[in-house]
Structures are given as structure tokens and as C-alpha cells.
Amino acid sequence: MNKHAFATRAIHAGQEPDPRTGAVNVPIYLTSTYQLQGIEQHRGWEYSRVSNPTRDALEASLASLEGGVSGHVFGSGMAAIAALVTLLHAGDHVICGDNVYGGTMRLFTQVIVRHGIEFSFVDTSETENVRRAIRPNTKLVHIETPTNPLMILTDIRAVGEICHQHGIPMSVDNTFMSPYFQRPIEFGADVVMHSTTKFLNGHSDGLGGVLVTTRPDLAENFRFVQKCTGGILSPFESWLILRGVKTLAVRMKQHDENGRQVAAYLAKHPKVSRVFYPGLPTHPQHELAKRQTSGFGSMISFESGSRANADKILRSVRVITNSESLGGVESLISHSATTTHAAVPPEERERLGITDGLVRISVGIEDIGDILEDLDQALRSI
Ligand SMILES: *Cc1c(COP(=O)(O)O)cnc(C)c1O
């Protein structure tokens, strides 16, 4: 299957027709345990915390789409990141982007530090900051590109080269782009992480997370962590994501098309002072975006001027929904400072540029005319 193109793999990789019945779709194996044929004689499955055929299919599918040797799914994106950092030992040091997902920041600074692991948070969009932060005990570099909500990019290949010179694994949170537009492994990542809750599932109806790796030793570790800590994804949610991923290619094309139009509309709007979208030629890293992604997606942030303006816009939308999260077929709009970044202290938000007037949109795949009309009437309220 791996020789086939992306859209074909999205539908078929890991999903052969069921050998027993011929069912075209992978069944949801709602079973905790499996019959053994004798002592230590099993058909490949013994207990569902360790493995389950529905989950196996999803893991094979996602590994194929990201180009890794294996995928490992967890109950949420955060559970996947937590599994990643269990590879570390007390005394190890991690370099992490300073503008990563709020939950990642919270996990690292409020939970993982208690286990004797040190963190340096640096602006990874300046590649040299990564090199400067390396210490003899650095054991992981974790980046997110583009970042939420300011859509700042990190040059994956450049950071990957630094990591490889020092023998440090690099993980990339690829949630915003999906493997349809960005495949970090092709640029040197050792681990790709997703909140499958977002574009991969695509229908805002289930949580999930995945780690895909190119390294058999890390794969072995991730499999072991799944078994030891048990934060795995249920068969039902595995199936939901399998179903979602089948349409990933067509959904992403439409997200991208709608995203470009919304960004162009906002960029011309007199009441919008700034638009953050890598697809705009005015984005300072537009050239990098063209180099490492094959589309720009549909995550857009813009400056409305004040918290009061943002509030009016969020109250006025009718087609678009005022809600956190992203990556579903429906358009969502949210206020970053009080939702995804509420846990970030105000001074730090200010330093990062996450103002009280900043509004983020996850542009869905509704009719573009309806989306633009909705934004138009919402912006008239300010
Ligand atoms: C949502 C998100 C996460 C966390 O995933 P959950 O599925 O909500 O646990 C991590 N990283 C990014 C970029 C996200 O958008």
C-alpha cells in the first residue's frame, strides 16, 4: 500500500477487507480479551490494552500517512504527549517551543518538571535559539509548526539538522497541518505527534492522539508505554478516526481553499488590523510555508482591536460557532486569550503577542459564500 498516493492510502492503508467476512470496513472490535488456543498460543491478540484489531488498523493507517514505521494511538493528544515524555529520565533536559499548545505547556511546567526533568522554552522560529539551548543532557526537542494562534513557523529541516548533529530526537506536533499538507518525517523529524481530535478525525466527535515514529527503538518504547500506562484509544474512537481519515484528502483541499478566501477577505477588511495566516504573501514566513507545506490549511487568527470587539464578533456569528477546538468540518471561532491560552499568565501572553483582541478561526468546509457573509455581518457589529 505504501507505494500508492496519499488519497489512496488514506482510504486503504491498514484497512484490508476483513479476512473472515469480507467486510469492506474494519469492524469495531468491542472486546477486552481474546481466546487463546493453548498456553502462549494466540492469534496475535491477547488483551485490548496491549492491542486491538480496530486500533491496529488506525495505527497502521496513520503511520502510512506520516511515513513512519509505526503509529501509537492514545486517548487524547495530551495522553500522546505524556507518553512521549515518559521516555525521559530524571536529570534530562528538553527544548520546547515557547508558543506550543497551552496544554503541552501546562503538562511540561506543572507536571513533568516535578519528575526532575528540565525544560528550556525557546522561540524555535529562530533556528539558532535551538542550537544555543542545547546542553549535554538534552534528550528531546519538541516543536509545533505552525503555532497556535499566531501561526508562526519553525523550519523543520533546519532544526532537525541541529538535532541530528547532537543525536537528539526531534518531535513535531503536526496537528494544525495534518499529514496531507505537512509530513515532518520527510524533513528529519523522529516523532510526529497529533491531536487526532482535530483534522485527522475531522468531525469534532471524538478525542484522540497519536505518536508516529521512524525509529524502531522509539516504536518499541511507545508500545511498551501503551501497555504500561494504559492511556490507549478505545476501539470505537479508533474507528471514528479511521472513518474520518478516509476523507482527509478531500476535506483538507476544501479547508485550504476556504481558508485562503477567508484570509484574503480579512486582510482587506478595514476593521481588521492584522491577519495571521502563512498563506498570505505578507506573512513573514510565507516562503518557508511554501517549502515545507503543500497547502496553508484553514487556521487563521486576526486582530479585532479589543476584547469588547472580539466579544461582539463571537456573539454575532450565525453559521460559524463560538467554540474552542479546530479541524472539524464546521467553522469554529474562538478567543485565544480566554480559552486555549487562559492558563498562560497575562504578561507572558503579551510577550507572545496573544492580545485580548485576537480572534482565531478554524475555517470549515461549509459553502464559502455563507462563511464570508457570516463574517461580514459579524464584523459590522464592531
Ligand atoms: C488540541 C491540541 C492538542 C491536545 O490534544 P487533545 O486531543 O485535546 O488532548 C495538542 N496540540 C495541539 C496543537 C492541539 O491543537
Side-chain angles (χ1 to χ4, degrees):
M1 194 45 64
N2 279 334
K3 66 179 173 35
H4 293 289
F6 189 95
T8 308
R9 283 182 284 128
I11 295 168
H12 296 292
Q15 308 185 59
E16 306 305 317
D18 182 47
R20 193 167 75 83
T21 61
V24 170
N25 286 300
V26 176
I28 307 172
Y29 284 91
L30 289 176
T31 188
S32 57
T33 190
Y34 305 82
Q35 179 200 38
L36 305 189
Q37 287 151 313
I39 290 176
E40 290 195 315
Q41 269 195 345
H42 56 76
R43 300 171 177 86
W45 296 273
E46 294 170 272
Y47 189 65
S48 278
R49 173 158 31 76
V50 182
S51 62
N52 173 284
T54 318
R55 201 174 91 211
D56 294 351
L58 175 63
E59 292 180 333
S61 161
L62 298 181
S64 166
L65 296 183
E66 283 289 2
V69 295
S70 73
H72 307 271
V73 292
F74 297 87
S76 68
M78 288 321 304
I81 298 182
L84 172 68
V85 290
T86 58
L87 297 187
L88 302 167
H89 298 79
D92 287 350
H93 171 246
V94 178
I95 299 171
C96 180
D98 64 355
N99 197 4
V100 294
Y101 180 72
T104 305
M105 203 49 121
R106 181 171 54 209
L107 172 71
F108 288 175
T109 58
Q110 296 184 43
V111 180
I112 305 300
V113 284
R114 295 203 305 251
H115 298 271
I117 292 159
E118 300 164 26
F119 289 87
S120 296
F121 295 97
V122 305
D123 174 2
T124 56
S125 70
E126 278 296 333
T127 307
E128 283 308 306
N129 288 343
V130 176
R131 195 192 301 279
R132 276 195 289 271
I134 291 176
R135 302 181 192 165
N137 57 339
T138 305
K139 291 292 158 57
L140 179 70
V141 172
H142 179 74
I143 64 172
E144 198 174 303
T145 178
T147 61
N148 171 35
L150 296 174
M151 307 304 290
I152 299 167
L153 273 54
T154 289
D155 186 332
I156 306 172
R157 192 189 296 283
V159 173
E161 275 167 14
I162 295 171
C163 291
H164 292 147
Q165 280 162 12
H166 293 82
I168 304 166
M170 170 171 70
S171 58
V172 179
D173 184 335
N174 198 27
T175 301
F176 269 35
M177 279 291 118
S178 92
Y180 184 71
F181 285 134
Q182 175 169 279
R183 286 176 299 281
I185 286 171
E186 292 174 5
F187 294 95
D190 303 282
V191 178
V192 178
M193 175 267 152
H194 282 272
S195 165
T196 63
T197 312
K198 317 293 169 53
F199 287 102
L200 287 173
N201 183 46
H203 294 75
S204 307
D205 51 11
L207 298 188
V210 67
L211 298 173
V212 172
T213 181
T214 50
R215 281 179 38 179
D217 59 323
L218 296 180
E220 194 63 35
N221 273 306
F222 295 151
R223 211 169 285 121
F224 188 63
V225 171
Q226 285 181 304
K227 173 162 123 176
C228 292
T229 64
I232 45 91
L233 194 66
S234 75
F236 178 65
E237 276 168 322
S238 296
W239 177 83
L240 276 180
I241 299 164
L242 275 173
R243 181 180 164 133
V245 161
K246 284 181 199 278
T247 56
L248 185 66
V250 284
R251 280 190 287 109
M252 292 314 293
K253 276 185 209 155
Q254 195 62 46
H255 277 298
D256 186 60
E257 198 179 306
N258 287 2
R260 289 174 200 232
Q261 294 206 40
V262 168
Y265 163 83
L266 289 170
K268 286 203 300 266
H269 200 286
K271 288 180 181 165
V272 173
S273 58
R274 272 189 85 178
V275 181
F276 302 85
Y277 182 66
L280 288 173
T282 50
H283 187 287
Q285 295 165 301
H286 182 61
E287 290 308 314
L288 173 59
K290 286 200 282 194
R291 259 198 329 271
Q292 71 185 15
T293 72
S294 56
F296 307 114
S298 67
M299 297 306 299
I300 301 168
S301 297
F302 68 93
E303 181 53 57
S304 71
S306 66
R307 180 179 164 129
N309 282 349
D311 193 47
K312 280 188 196 149
I313 294 167
L314 267 54
R315 283 173 193 276
S316 306
V317 286
R318 298 287 172 264
V319 174
I320 306 169
T321 305
N322 173 8
S323 172
E324 304 190 32
S325 200
L326 59 113
V329 290
E330 64 288 298
S331 296
L332 301 179
I333 194 162
S334 63
H335 183 237
S336 301
T338 53
T339 56
T340 53
H341 287 69
V344 180
E347 322 78 71
E348 179 63 6
R349 279 206 302 271
E350 184 148 336
R351 191 186 70 74
L352 294 170
I354 302 166
T355 63
D356 284 349
L358 195 74
V359 172
R360 187 189 79 181
I361 313 181
S362 168
V363 182
I365 60 171
E366 299 96 337
D367 181 85
I368 186 63
D370 290 330
I371 298 172
L372 293 177
E373 212 175 282
D374 197 33
L375 277 173
D376 208 53
Q377 63 83 20
L379 281 161
R380 272 200 299 271
S381 72
I382 67 174

